[in-house]
């Protein structure tokens, strides 16, 4: 599988990749039982970024 270079992707594709990475970090933090306060911050950030994604990229 070949990955497209960053600059060959659309802004929507880049934002989706960012959201996926942030969600993965939040998942890993929960699995590893990291700071609950930190996990809450990650979840809040995901909510904010997902909302922005929807307003920018979802019709």
């Amino acid at each position: 599988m070949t990955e497209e270079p960053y600059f060959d992707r659309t802004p929507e594709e880049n934002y989706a990749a960012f959201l996926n990475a942030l969600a993965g970090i939040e998942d890993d933090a929960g699995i590893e039982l990291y700071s609950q306060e930190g996990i809450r911050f990650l979840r809040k950030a995901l909510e904010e970024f997902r909302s922005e994604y929807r307003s920018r990229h979802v019709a």
Side-chain angles (χ1 to χ4, degrees), residues 16-34:
F18 165 75
L19 286 172
N20 189 43
L22 190 55
I25 292 169
E26 188 261 336
D27 285 345
D28 289 349
I31 290 167
E32 296 297 329
L33 302 175
Y34 293 161

Side-chain angles (χ1 to χ4, degrees), residues 23 43 46 49 57-58:
R43 288 183 181 145
L46 271 167
F49 287 120
H57 301 292
V58 178

Side-chain angles (χ1 to χ4, degrees), residues 9 13-14 18 20 24 29 36 39-40 44 48 54 58:
R9 291 186 231 145
E13 290 170 325
N14 284 326
F18 165 75
N20 189 43
Q36 290 302 302
I39 292 169
R40 279 192 295 278
K44 181 67 176 163
E48 290 294 321
R54 286 188 297 272
V58 178

